[in-house]
Amino acid sequence: MTETPFWGPDFEQLAQEDPEISGILLSELDRLRDGLQLIASENFTSPAVLAALGSTLSNKYAEGYPGKRYYGGCVEVDKAEVIGIERAKALFGAEHANLQPHSGASANIAAYGAFVKPGETVLAMSLPHGGHLTHGSRVNFSGKWFNVVSYGVREDTELIDYDEVRQLALEHKPRMIICGATAYPRLIDFAAFRAIADEVGAILMVDAAHFIGLVAGKAIPSPVPFADVVTFTTHKVLRGPRGGMILCREEHAKAIDKAVFPMMQGGPLMHGVAAKAVALKEAASASYQEYARTVIANAQELCAGLAAEGMRPVSGGTDTHLGLIDLQELGVTGTQAEERCDRVGITLNKNAIPFDPQPPMVASGIRVGTPSVTTQGMAPGDMKAIASLIGRALKDESGTEADEIRTEVTELVTRFPAYPR
Ligand code: DSN
């Protein structure tokens, strides 16, 4: 038998050389397999994506872009990056793509760097209403270096208040308007944002991190025709490696590329770039489109099931992969809910709800998402069981039912193995 030509992940060698770390890897795999993973921003990457991540492309310095590098020996990584760029452009109908941002925050820093100078005004969604740290939080570079004006949702509908967005834009004349969120379950009206941006001469940036996988799967409308620039992470519904990506109009290509490198980052992570290319190929398949549609159908059923358990979905439900759930009627805080779910093997996160009376570290809500359970093969018919398990876990203040609930969680996930043994 000839030796395998690929020098890839070798778990046995890791186990021999570093049992401490290999043990952690195995325990984490058990944790993923044995529990319900409902964090809206997580997913289970494919073995092909993991293989690219665990490859020798990790060794290569490749500052610059394909054909214009500051290091020799980039011939192979150049090919991987070009393939990835072409796949991104084709999948999203974009004029330009940059696969080098290390993360969503890095992609957002680059977008600010390309379009806004320190001290200039940016209009973005406030974090307590579902935005993101990089959309102007006072503790983040965005809030420290830029004059960020925030919009939010209406108290009665819990939907983005487009009238408020327009009024604030007219009043403050932002250089850039950002839409996109981390805890907003509804579709965003990109055409409305485009019209407001045009009215005040602003750049429109869409932070599509949470929903870009649904766009890739053609399950929801795309922001690409409306935005000057679209930033996102590659590891959420899109199911790629951890990382970031930027799409933009050709007229902004140079500014974006220069903002990623050399302005914000040094050497790209070429194993990550190759893994992004693999994920983009997977996302272009018909089965991925079916997956994206099921992610939404599952989230809608999960919200309905949680409502039946006495928990209120913010805005009444969801159009996407996530539900934001108000627990006030149940008399349980977000922190308590996260802890009670954790002890039965259900992983989710506490989350502020709009106009939350609690501080963010306590919060009145939870955020639930269906990317991972859908990758496992669960269907809308399975969501009622998950909602019931969450409901029982939350109402079990003393923890006396915890063992029984955990057993039922294990029984459920065993029918849908993540990374089958
Ligand atoms: N941390 C991500 C999320 O969970 O939504 C956003 O950056």
Side-chain angles (χ1 to χ4, degrees):
M1 205 171 96
T2 54
E3 196 187 344
T4 172
F6 179 69
W7 192 270
D10 183 339
F11 189 79
E12 277 176 23
Q13 187 174 359
L14 176 65
Q16 276 175 17
E17 197 173 303
D18 193 337
E20 260 179 300
I21 291 295
S22 70
I24 292 169
L25 265 53
L26 287 176
S27 301
E28 169 61 4
L29 189 54
D30 283 344
R31 186 191 69 79
L32 286 180
R33 283 167 165 163
D34 296 345
L36 268 169
Q37 310 304 329
L38 296 175
I39 299 218
S41 47
E42 295 180 1
N43 209 333
F44 299 135
T45 51
S46 70
V49 167
L50 291 176
L53 276 179
S55 70
T56 56
L57 269 63
S58 169
N59 298 336
K60 193 71 201 90
Y61 253 122
E63 270 132 317
Y65 289 99
K68 286 170 282 177
R69 304 284 191 186
Y70 288 83
Y71 289 82
C74 290
V75 58
E76 299 303 333
V77 294
D78 270 12
K79 289 182 206 164
E81 187 164 352
V82 168
I83 288 171
I85 290 168
E86 291 309 318
R87 286 180 184 169
K89 285 162 64 178
L91 182 61
F92 296 111
E95 293 175 6
H96 182 73
N98 187 312
L99 273 61
Q100 293 192 6
H102 299 332
S103 67
S106 302
N108 287 353
I109 296 172
Y112 279 85
F115 298 116
V116 201
K117 292 191 181 65
E120 287 187 336
T121 300
V122 172
L123 179 60
M125 192 167 188
S126 81
L127 182 59
H129 282 217
H132 186 249
L133 272 176
T134 57
H135 299 184
S137 163
R138 296 285 161 230
V139 295
N140 182 259
F141 81 89
S142 52
K144 287 182 189 289
W145 297 345
F146 301 95
N147 173 38
V148 181
V149 177
S150 299
Y151 61 85
V153 297
R154 286 174 60 109
E155 197 156 6
D156 52 351
T157 60
E158 299 176 313
L159 301 176
I160 291 173
D161 188 342
Y162 293 93
D163 293 333
E164 182 197 27
V165 176
R166 181 168 177 270
Q167 282 313 318
L168 289 171
L170 289 170
E171 185 184 338
H172 296 279
K173 297 277 187 292
R175 175 86 186 97
M176 184 162 81
I177 298 176
I178 303 177
C179 64
T182 62
Y184 185 70
R186 296 301 187 173
L187 296 180
I188 294 171
D189 186 343
F190 304 120
F193 271 102
R194 178 75 262 168
I196 295 167
D198 285 344
E199 199 174 348
V200 299
I203 290 285
L204 178 60
M205 167 183 157
V206 178
D207 181 342
H210 260 270
F211 54 82
I212 194 72
L214 302 175
V215 174
K218 316 231 176 301
I220 64 168
S222 171
V224 171
F226 300 98
D228 291 281
V229 58
V230 179
T231 61
F232 54 92
T233 48
T234 46
H235 50 266
K236 297 187 172 82
V237 185
L238 190 55
R239 212 162 52 184
R242 291 199 76 84
M245 206 182 288
I246 302 178
L247 308 172
C248 68
R249 295 180 174 178
E250 189 56 43
E251 65 187 283
H252 303 310
K254 268 195 184 148
I256 284 294
D257 284 354
K258 281 185 182 170
V260 173
F261 171 84
M263 191 173 179
M264 300 297 173
Q265 287 186 182
L269 311 177
M270 295 314 297
H271 58 311
V273 169
K276 289 170 191 173
V278 175
L280 289 166
K281 183 173 184 183
E282 292 177 353
S285 65
S287 63
Y288 182 86
Q289 292 185 13
E290 176 63 28
Y291 164 73
R293 288 192 294 270
T294 310
V295 165
I296 297 174
N298 280 348
Q300 289 171 337
E301 280 303 309
L302 184 55
C303 282
L306 291 171
E309 294 288 328
M311 297 171 244
R312 186 184 73 85
V314 167
S315 83
T318 183
D319 304 319
T320 65
H321 61 299
L322 69 85
L324 182 61
I325 311 297
D326 177 357
L327 302 176
Q328 289 176 108
E329 277 169 35
L330 222 55
V332 176
T333 67
T335 303
Q336 288 168 333
E338 190 181 296
E339 285 167 4
R340 288 177 197 180
C341 283
D342 209 30
R343 71 186 174 198
V344 300
I346 300 174
T347 304
L348 45 71
N349 61 278
K350 62 175 166 289
N351 215 103
I353 57 170
F355 308 97
D356 202 323
Q358 298 282 3
M361 278 307 284
V362 179
S364 297
I366 51 172
R367 189 184 64 166
V368 291
T370 51
S372 298
V373 292
T374 309
T375 295
Q376 282 173 273
M378 293 195 200
D382 302 305
M383 296 302 114
K384 203 171 167 188
I386 295 182
S388 160
L389 289 164
I390 294 174
R392 283 166 57 200
L394 263 55
K395 291 164 199 164
D396 180 26
E397 189 179 345
S398 62
T400 45
E401 259 205 89
D403 286 345
E404 196 182 318
I405 301 169
R406 180 177 263 281
T407 303
E408 289 181 42
V409 167
T410 307
E411 280 167 8
L412 176 62
V413 294
T414 304
R415 287 171 36 224
F416 302 94
Y419 299 117
R421 288 168 204 277

